[in-house]
Amino acid sequence: MLFSSIVFLYFFLPFVLFLYFIVPTKGKNFVLFSVSVLFYAWGEPVYVLLMLAQIVAAFVLTGGVERFRDSKAGRVFYILSVFLPFAALFYFKYYVFFMENLFRMQPKALPLPIGISFYTFQIVSYCVDVYHKRVDRQKNLITFAAYVTLFPQLVAGPIVRYSEIAQTLTQKVHCHEVYSRLEKGIVRFVVGLGKKVLIANVVGEFVIEVAALDHRTVALSWAYAIAVALQIYFDFSGYSDMAIGLGGMFGFEFPENFRYPFISESVSEFWRRWHITLGSWFRDYVYIPMGGNRVRMTRWIFNILVVWLFTGLWHGAGWNFIVWGLLFAGLLVFEKGLGKLWKKVQSTNNLQDNKFIRFMWKTVKHCYVACVIIISFLVFHNGQLQEAWADIQSLVGQGKHITETMRSSDMAVCVYLLRNRIGILCVGLIGSLPALTWLWTAIGQRLEKSKVGDIIICVVQPVCVIGLLVLCTAYLIDGSFNPFLYFRF
């Protein structure tokens, strides 16, 4: 079941909210668990048993960890608690890929359980944190199951750690705080819905239209590459906003997953802004345990390669994801070396106080990151590396998509598509920057200083939210194109 569907918006969600708020506090976790299982079973009636089995296994094994903590048995329980979720993930997501590429065998492909990468990482993080005494083990199976199956973030993140929502799961939240989070959650959800339905879906239609062409112009190739990046961003960040908003409706505070990544000045900054919960998970549970950056240079490079190989594979079992991950690993190593060189040049030539040099350097970095994003997501988007390479070549007027003599009919189609979709691309580019948020916040702060301003805010915000919800509903009723890219992860 998609968040951006009529069934979810007008049937499932209102029913769940009503049920959640009328039951006593002691029964809320059971309600969350029950409706989350129903939500998952809507699309995965068979694999819900796999998820439930993993929940029970993790609950039992962490109980063994707690009971035999200072013995070898406790360590065995801990190893099993981490190994079993990863074993299931490997079997369903990577087994066929490795068998085909390592042993040239072609086993029968298995359907990928929805959201398995997300809930596997949540289970593993909980088991590791219990073993290292970062969190207290949850002794109530229903409460633990509610954490793992929590439907707002079950199938597409953000990756929520137990420590981040343990208080809400186990303690009563004051009424005024619940209603405050509910209000903010509704606004956040509708904004995310708008990003997904009105921008990501429309840009996605343009991506499909251009991909279907045999030939294209250089201008259309650049528009296509930008559209691919925008579709991926608004699709996933919109869904993350909806998940965070839904969490707020039920009293939870989920971590942020995106912070305007397209304004980054470096690849490392980009990954501090893009899919934040995934990056922090790999940092805390893989990178730092391997030594992080407090090791010699060769070992640090090895650590980076391993982390980004895993990051690529997390997104999917395909060579394009592996190349995509290793590309970022190479760029991070390159940036570290270039950063040291630039600091040396600055200190040698006293360039630190030269405003023009700093402005030009900042501009160059923004352009560099923009090119990296565009090229990397062409690799990410294409299942075949040959197709990704053809798309990249077309950006410089080369490759199979570019011909020296294009027929007038083909040229007319390219011009029509570009002219027809340039508006939504501009909207996407503007929406991916923090300017609108800054403007809205500044106006809100100014209006809050007066009683009239407070009244205006109380009227304008609900009107905008309702209007946006109506627009999204009209689009969902009228259109049939409503995919979600991250369901395959």
Side-chain angles (χ1 to χ4, degrees):
M1 190 187 306
L2 289 170
F3 292 164
S4 53
S5 67
I6 298 298
V7 172
F8 180 84
L9 290 173
Y10 292 102
F11 295 95
F12 183 83
L13 181 58
F15 168 74
V16 172
L17 282 172
F18 173 76
L19 187 63
Y20 183 76
F21 282 105
I22 65 169
V23 299
T25 301
K26 291 183 179 180
K28 291 187 185 299
N29 287 342
F30 179 76
V31 169
L32 282 176
F33 167 65
S34 301
V35 298
S36 296
V37 171
L38 174 63
F39 175 84
Y40 192 82
W42 188 278
E44 294 281 12
V46 175
Y47 286 141
V48 70
L49 298 176
L50 170 68
M51 181 178 63
L52 295 176
Q54 292 199 59
I55 290 170
V56 173
F59 182 80
V60 172
L61 291 170
T62 50
V65 169
E66 186 177 52
R67 183 175 181 181
F68 304 101
R69 183 175 296 279
D70 297 324
S71 65
K72 290 183 179 180
R75 185 164 181 80
V76 170
F77 280 119
Y78 166 62
I79 292 172
L80 286 174
S81 70
V82 173
F83 172 77
L84 291 179
F86 278 139
L89 178 64
F90 176 85
Y91 179 70
F92 284 98
K93 194 168 184 176
Y94 307 108
Y95 174 72
V96 173
F97 175 77
F98 278 93
M99 293 299 287
E100 288 178 346
N101 288 276
L102 294 181
F103 303 103
R104 302 300 177 186
M105 298 174 62
Q106 292 186 334
K108 182 180 178 181
L110 296 169
L112 181 65
I114 293 174
I116 188 171
S117 296
F118 289 96
Y119 71 71
T120 294
F121 272 33
Q122 292 192 183
I123 290 174
V124 170
S125 68
Y126 169 80
C127 294
V128 173
D129 288 346
V130 167
Y131 178 75
H132 290 286
K133 298 182 181 180
R134 296 170 189 155
V135 298
D136 294 328
R137 176 180 173 266
Q138 175 53 244
K139 294 179 174 59
N140 187 302
L141 178 59
I142 295 298
T143 302
F144 175 63
Y147 155 67
V148 177
T149 62
L150 201 57
F151 78 90
Q153 46 79 56
L154 172 61
V155 297
I159 300 171
V160 178
R161 304 184 197 183
Y162 178 74
S163 59
E164 294 169 329
I165 62 172
Q167 184 175 1
T168 308
L169 282 170
T170 57
Q171 298 179 16
K172 185 177 180 179
V173 182
H174 295 296
C175 289
H176 72 276
E177 189 175 353
V178 170
Y179 290 117
S180 174
R181 291 181 184 178
L182 176 64
E183 179 186 356
K184 292 178 181 177
I186 292 172
V187 173
R188 185 68 178 269
F189 176 84
V190 175
V191 169
L193 181 67
K195 289 166 70 175
K196 170 70 180 80
V197 173
L198 301 180
I199 301 180
N201 285 2
V202 179
V203 172
E205 291 174 354
F206 175 62
V207 169
I208 291 176
E209 291 167 350
V210 177
L213 299 177
D214 293 327
H215 306 294
R216 64 184 78 146
T217 62
V218 174
L220 188 61
S221 296
W222 276 98
Y224 171 76
I226 292 170
V228 167
L230 289 177
Q231 183 195 10
I232 294 172
Y233 169 69
F234 280 105
D235 194 84
F236 193 23
S237 69
Y239 218 88
S240 292
D241 285 343
M242 285 189 279
I244 293 170
L246 285 171
M249 293 183 202
F250 293 97
F252 297 94
E253 288 191 22
F254 292 165
E256 290 294 333
N257 218 19
F258 290 87
R259 289 195 180 95
Y260 301 104
F262 293 161
I263 67 171
S264 304
E265 295 182 20
S266 66
V267 169
S268 58
E269 182 186 355
F270 175 78
W271 278 100
R272 290 194 297 271
R273 295 175 176 273
W274 177 281
H275 206 341
I276 299 168
T277 56
L278 177 67
S280 63
W281 196 98
F282 275 113
R283 179 197 65 208
D284 295 341
Y285 297 102
V286 180
Y287 182 65
I288 291 176
M290 290 178 66
N293 58 2
R294 297 184 177 182
V295 291
R296 62 183 186 275
M297 180 59 69
T298 54
R299 178 54 192 263
W300 175 77
I301 293 175
F302 174 77
N303 293 347
I304 289 291
L305 289 173
V306 169
V307 167
W308 285 98
L309 174 63
F310 287 163
T311 301
L313 282 171
W314 181 89
H315 286 86
W319 285 108
N320 61 316
F321 295 117
I322 293 174
V323 170
W324 180 75
L326 294 179
L327 171 65
F328 279 111
L331 289 170
L332 288 168
V333 173
F334 166 75
E335 282 186 1
K336 189 175 183 69
L338 184 64
K340 288 182 178 181
L341 178 63
W342 176 245
K343 286 181 180 179
K344 187 176 181 180
V345 170
Q346 278 186 312
S347 59
T348 303
N349 298 280
N350 297 319
L351 300 177
Q352 294 93 333
D353 299 325
N354 191 314
K355 293 183 179 179
F356 177 75
I357 295 294
R358 282 190 297 170
F359 172 77
M360 290 303 296
W361 181 241
K362 195 171 185 177
T363 303
V364 168
K365 289 194 291 183
H366 277 299
C367 293
Y368 147 74
V369 173
C371 290
V372 166
I373 291 170
I374 288 173
I375 292 172
S376 67
F377 281 115
L378 286 176
V379 176
F380 182 93
H381 175 74
N382 284 284
Q384 299 295 325
L385 290 176
Q386 297 91 329
E387 290 299 320
W389 178 238
D391 286 340
I392 294 169
Q393 284 181 301
S394 68
L395 299 178
V396 292
Q398 302 294 323
K400 68 177 185 178
H401 295 306
I402 305 295
T403 59
E404 294 182 3
T405 56
M406 183 179 289
R407 292 182 302 177
S408 58
S409 59
D410 291 337
M411 178 64 75
V413 170
C414 292
V415 172
Y416 170 79
L417 287 178
L418 191 57
R419 185 180 297 171
N420 191 44
R421 299 295 190 177
I422 192 68
I424 189 61
L425 292 181
C426 291
V427 170
L429 287 171
I430 294 170
S432 67
L433 303 176
L436 293 177
T437 302
W438 290 343
L439 181 62
W440 178 268
T441 303
I443 293 173
Q445 290 175 345
R446 185 135 187 193
L447 290 174
E448 285 176 351
K449 294 179 180 179
S450 65
K451 291 184 178 179
V452 176
D454 281 338
I455 296 173
I456 293 174
I457 291 174
C458 291
V459 173
V460 170
Q461 181 169 286
V463 169
C464 290
V465 170
I466 294 171
L468 186 56
L469 180 60
V470 170
L471 281 175
C472 293
T473 303
Y475 180 92
L476 291 172
I477 292 173
D478 183 61
S480 59
F481 184 79
N482 187 31
F484 177 58
L485 301 179
Y486 266 70
F487 263 150
R488 58 180 170 165
F489 307 136

